[in-house]
């Protein structure tokens, strides 16, 4: 945050703002003077008219006036000053727990007051505790009515200070240049920047403060639009810089090898897979680096698309790196890639943090010489010591687990002057609106079709108290030759705690299900141990696999038809949906049991209800977004795109289309304005990544 200050004018330049105050303001995200105008009020105090005391309701802020009819100091140890005022229609008590002698001398019978505060029920009549007050002449005219803004504040930051600072910032028009073209604003029916800021910070007596507060007011929408646009521009710039920094190899369509791969697969690609494969092949045939995201629900068949892309790279003499977020998933990919590509003469290597020193040395040497053509691994592939002979393609599975930074770091692993193509795959179905902002630097392909022969998973939510029934279900399923998963989840716990909980559960289940073969897999096992357990499960030598969320992505055992998820109420819908995707991979009817701890809160009930009703990851993600907000859905704030000051993706979702439409043209025609907008809203430091 502090480097923001370098890019603007430090707050300490404002009169009355010293380093201490500036430090406090920084906690509100206010670092530069230029930030202040975009700190919007939470609400407004209605000082537009004087209300009659007889009509005063409790719980609302109101401006009132009246004559003091009684004034006294009461109480022994907890002294208080109580004044009663009356305006002929009713009375009100003003209560002061802290007061000075001269206030007591001023607030005496017969004096006329104008008072602003919130009325609350008192023992005798409505009261205002510590209201704002001033002494006025009995018939003094009301000064021009106003709505007084109340800003989000924090400890040690008074409203009066915020108002003064923001007022001072608004008085520096040189920092509030209008960067949006008038024609664009006109087309969208949005006000100019100065009108919008005036409407928000100093609404006139006729203003619709409700609309200002809920964000439906054109002034707020205008600011939200500008903010979303700035973020979009920033990501497009990032993408441009990336693509311009170096060309990528032009890769042919590798027709022959791909035909042979398809023949050997044993299944035909779905229409969606074919479409996406063409999109990928087209990107790779251009000399610009591909930056493509494949979104596809669990089981939609993304891996084989990655294999075909790798084949394209290899066929033209380049290398491909496939990266997965977990050891287990990387291992599974390695097996798929070996099975698919080795028969075609492609040499597949393996690199993870748990490779032995010898394995690692061999792999690094093979990559450097070019003997290994496709390498599968974990983030160990990012390390500086990994050098490629000619890296032409990087595939990243489950992008949301990697930062944009890491993705960009791989760019530098290309061969002299060329950078690799990038293919990113995610099963986290992100609603279109969110994808556009979170992944604006990527083109998006969607696999919106599951391979044939899948039966939707039947989902039920059951309280913990019915655990015994659930155990019976497992027994039945396994007797019928099926396999089952039992997923132990702890929220925010360490890998160690999670592993311990899973161990205890596995022991207990093994006792309760005597006769069944129960195995355990968790993140604390060595790669070899995990792999051996998974192999046994795949081979049908294990009936019930007790696991932590390490099985969340990728694991593929079609004979497993039952999944139990503990503590389901505490997991995100997207995560639950992904876990559930481990079953329903074959033709048998599969089930998923969501175990929860009763009583279930209303939100939790609604959320589990969504999972029961739908198997459509996109629908689930949209509902999850509505209920939990975007930050949680992506599981991380790494993109930075979600930390908006004013915009709200749910509220302002309809602005995204106009933002998307306007951005490219603006970049082309007004580069200077774009830089200024990015500086204003995103900051100099490019929150997303360093290019
Ligand atoms: P995900 O998109 O979740 O990564 P996978 O690539 O792991 O899905 O595919 C899930 C399973 O479906 C794998 O066993 C894969 O071989 C198989 N598969 C992929 N495409 C098809 C298809 N078109 N028809 C039948 N099975 C397919
Ligand atoms: Mg996958």
């Amino acid at each position: 945050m502090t480097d923001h200050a370098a890019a603007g004018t430090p707050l300490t330049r404002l009169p009355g703002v010293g380093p201490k105050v500036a430090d406090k303001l920084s906690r509100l995200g206010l670092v530069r003077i230029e930030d202040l105008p975009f700190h919007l009020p939470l609400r407004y105090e209605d000082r537009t008219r004087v209300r009659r005391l007889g009509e005063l309701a409790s719980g609302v802020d109101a401006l009132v006036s009246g004559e003091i009819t009684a004034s006294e100091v009461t109480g022994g140890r907890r002294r208080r000053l109580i004044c009663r005022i009356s305006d002929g229609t009713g009375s009100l008590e003003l209560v002061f727990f802290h007061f000075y002698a001269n206030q007591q001398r001023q607030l005496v019978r017969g004096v006329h007051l104008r008072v602003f505060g919130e009325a609350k029920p008192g023992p005798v009549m409505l009261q205002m505790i510590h209201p704002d007050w001033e002494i006025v002449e009995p018939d003094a005219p009301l000064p021009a009515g106003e709505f007084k803004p109340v800003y989000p504040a924090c400890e040690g930051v008074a409203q009066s200070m915020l108002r003064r600072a923001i007022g001072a910032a608004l008085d520096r028009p040189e920092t509030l240049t209008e960067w949006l073209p008038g024609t664009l604003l006109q087309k969208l029916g949005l006000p100019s920047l100065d009108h919008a800021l005036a409407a928000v910070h100093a609404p006139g007596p006729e203003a619709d403060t409700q609309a200002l507060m809920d964000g439906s007011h054109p002034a707020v929408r205008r600011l939200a639009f500008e903010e979303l646009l700035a973020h979009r521009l920033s990501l497009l710039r990032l993408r441009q810089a990336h693509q311009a920094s170096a060309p990528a190899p032009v890769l042919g369509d590798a027709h022959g090898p791909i035909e042979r791969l398809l023949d050997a697969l044993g299944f035909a690609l779905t229409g969606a897979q074919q479409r996406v494969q063409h999109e990928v092949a087209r990107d790779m045939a251009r000399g610009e680096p591909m930056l493509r995201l494949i979104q596809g629900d669990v089981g939609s068949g993304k891996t084989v698309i990655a294999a075909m892309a790798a084949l394209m790279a290899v066929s033209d003499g380049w290398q491909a790196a496939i990266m997965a977020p977990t050891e287990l998933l990387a291992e599974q990919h390695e097996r798929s890639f070996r099975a698919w590509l080795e028969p075609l003469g492609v040499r597949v290597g393996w690199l993870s943090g748990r490779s032995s020193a010898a394995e690692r040395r061999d792999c690094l040497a093979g990559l450097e010489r070019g003997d290994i053509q496709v390498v599968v691994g974990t983030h160990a592939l990012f390390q500086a010591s990994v050098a490629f002979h000619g890296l032409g393609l990087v595939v990243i599975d489950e992008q949301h687990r990697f930062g944009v930074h890491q993705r960009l770091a791989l760019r530098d692993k290309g061969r002299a002057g060329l950078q690799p193509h990038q293919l990113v795959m995610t099963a986290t179905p992100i609603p279109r609106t969110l994808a556009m902002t979170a992944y604006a630097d990527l083109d998006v392909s969607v696999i919106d079709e599951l391979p044939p022969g899948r039966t939707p998973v039947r989902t039920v939510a059951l309280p913990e108290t019915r655990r015994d029934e659930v155990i019976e279900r497992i027994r039945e399923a396994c007797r019928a030759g099926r396999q089952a998963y039992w997923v132990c989840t702890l929220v925010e716990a360490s890998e160690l705690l999670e592993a311990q909980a899973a161990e205890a559960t596995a022991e207990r289940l093994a006792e309760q299900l005597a006769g069944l073969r129960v195995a355990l897999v968790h993140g604390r096992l060595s790669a070899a141990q995990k792999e051996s357990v998974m192999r046994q499960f795949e081979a049908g030598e294990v009936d019930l696999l007790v696991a932590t969320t390490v099985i969340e992505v990728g694991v593929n055992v079609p004979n497993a038809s039952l999944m139990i998820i503990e503590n389901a109420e505490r997991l995100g819908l997207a995560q639950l949906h992904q876990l559930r995707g481990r079953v329903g991979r074959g033709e048998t009817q599969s089930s998923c049991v969501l175990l929860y701890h009763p009583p279930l809160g209303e939100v939790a009930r609604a959320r589990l209800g969504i999972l029961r009703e739908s198997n459509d990851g996109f629908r689930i993600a949209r509902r999850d977004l509505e209920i939990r907000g975007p930050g949680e859905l992506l599981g991380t704030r790494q993109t930075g795109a979600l930390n908006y000051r004013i915009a709200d993706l749910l509220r302002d979702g309809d602005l995204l289309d106009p933002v998307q439409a306007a951005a490219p043209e603006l970049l082309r025609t007004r580069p200077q304005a774009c830089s200024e907008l990015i500086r204003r809203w995103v900051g100099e430091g490019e929150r997303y990544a360093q290019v």
Side-chain angles (χ1 to χ4, degrees), residues 125-136:
M125 62 181 74
L126 285 176
Q127 293 184 330
M128 285 183 184
I129 316 280
H130 285 277
D132 288 355
W133 58 271
E134 57 178 332
I135 295 174
V136 293

Side-chain angles (χ1 to χ4, degrees), residues 39-360:
H39 192 60
L40 302 198
L42 268 183
R43 58 188 179 84
Y44 299 88
E45 289 177 353
D46 182 355
R47 302 196 182 206
T48 53
R49 59 200 174 94
V50 177
R51 310 212 178 230
R52 294 165 191 261
L53 291 177
E55 292 164 2
L56 205 55
S58 98
V60 280
D61 286 336
L63 184 63
V64 297
S65 80
E67 182 185 331
I68 299 182
T69 56
S71 176
E72 59 170 340
V73 174
T74 65
R77 261 191 321 137
R78 292 208 55 198
R79 275 159 36 101
R80 65 187 79 170
L81 170 62
I82 299 183
C83 303
R84 185 172 294 185
I85 62 168
S86 164
D87 67 353
T89 70
S91 310
L92 173 75
E93 276 181 358
L94 313 180
V95 183
F96 301 89
F97 294 102
H98 314 284
F99 54 92
Y100 298 109
N102 75 324
Q103 290 175 325
Q104 191 184 339
R105 278 194 296 276
Q106 285 180 300
L107 294 171
V108 292
R109 244 182 102 127
V111 165
H112 277 265
L113 294 183
R114 188 173 296 141
V115 180
F116 183 87
E118 183 187 343
K120 295 238 174 79
V124 191
M125 62 181 74
L126 285 176
Q127 293 184 330
M128 285 183 184
I129 316 280
H130 285 277
D132 288 355
W133 58 271
E134 57 178 332
I135 295 174
V136 293
E137 290 301 312
D139 292 315
L142 189 63
E146 57 167 3
F147 285 105
K148 228 179 187 177
V150 180
Y151 294 100
C154 66
E155 214 194 303
V157 177
Q159 285 300 322
S160 52
M161 203 262 278
L162 273 172
R163 286 182 190 138
R164 232 181 308 116
I166 290 169
L170 289 168
D171 281 342
R172 298 161 50 103
E174 71 278 11
T175 64
L176 294 171
T177 314
E178 175 68 84
W179 296 113
L180 301 187
T183 46
L184 177 63
L185 292 174
Q186 229 162 29
K187 199 172 79 190
L188 297 170
L190 295 174
S192 65
L193 183 63
D194 49 355
H195 277 114
L197 289 173
V200 185
H201 292 288
E206 305 301 323
D208 182 352
T209 49
Q210 189 51 47
L212 286 170
M213 288 186 289
D214 68 24
S216 60
H217 195 287
V220 181
R221 284 173 58 77
R222 138 84 212 210
L223 298 173
F225 177 82
E226 186 178 311
E227 180 173 34
L228 290 170
L229 181 67
H231 280 260
R232 176 85 184 157
L233 291 170
S234 161
L235 279 173
L236 289 179
R237 275 263 167 96
L238 193 67
R239 180 193 165 92
Q240 278 185 349
H242 181 168
Q243 290 194 314
S245 63
V250 175
L251 301 175
D253 69 357
H255 204 68
I258 286 194
E259 283 301 305
R260 281 199 281 153
L261 173 62
L262 288 175
D263 283 347
L265 278 179
F267 53 76
L269 295 187
T270 62
Q273 282 172 314
Q274 285 175 26
R275 174 170 44 75
V276 171
Q277 200 262 323
H278 283 140
E279 286 165 356
V280 170
R282 199 189 50 213
D283 281 0
M284 289 174 66
R286 292 187 316 181
E288 267 188 352
M290 165 169 74
L291 288 171
R292 184 166 290 278
L293 172 74
I294 299 182
Q295 275 194 65
D297 213 340
V298 278
S300 62
K302 295 181 289 293
T303 320
V304 69
I305 306 291
M308 288 192 269
L311 206 47
M312 280 180 66
V314 169
S315 302
D316 270 356
W318 294 84
Q319 291 167 301
I322 322 297
M323 194 151 9
T326 64
E327 299 272 335
L328 206 62
L329 184 54
E331 284 159 21
Q332 198 158 58
H333 279 342
E334 186 211 4
R335 271 180 276 149
S336 301
F337 276 73
R338 278 194 201 283
W340 286 332
L341 301 183
E342 281 184 346
L344 303 172
V346 178
R347 286 176 306 277
V348 178
W350 162 252
L351 189 68
S352 92
R354 295 184 187 166
S355 300
S356 71
E359 280 174 327
R360 186 180 156 76

Side-chain angles (χ1 to χ4, degrees), residues 351-426:
L351 189 68
S352 92
R354 295 184 187 166
S355 300
S356 71
E359 280 174 327
R360 186 180 156 76
R361 204 176 41 238
D362 287 352
C363 182
L364 292 186
L367 287 174
E368 195 152 8
R369 278 197 310 267
D371 298 348
I372 294 177
Q373 295 158 295
V374 173
V375 64
V376 183
T378 58
H379 57 274
L381 289 171
F382 285 121
Q383 286 159 2
S385 54
V386 183
F388 291 86
H389 180 69
L391 184 61
L393 169 71
V394 173
V395 178
I396 301 183
D397 201 9
E398 301 305 333
Q399 150 83 20
H400 65 291
R401 302 226 177 164
F402 291 108
V404 177
H405 297 259
Q406 288 170 305
R407 184 159 57 74
L408 289 176
L410 275 166
R411 186 186 49 182
D412 304 329
K413 297 209 178 277
R415 187 159 61 196
L418 289 178
Q419 58 175 320
H421 294 283
Q422 288 189 16
L423 186 62
V424 174
M425 307 194 291
T426 180

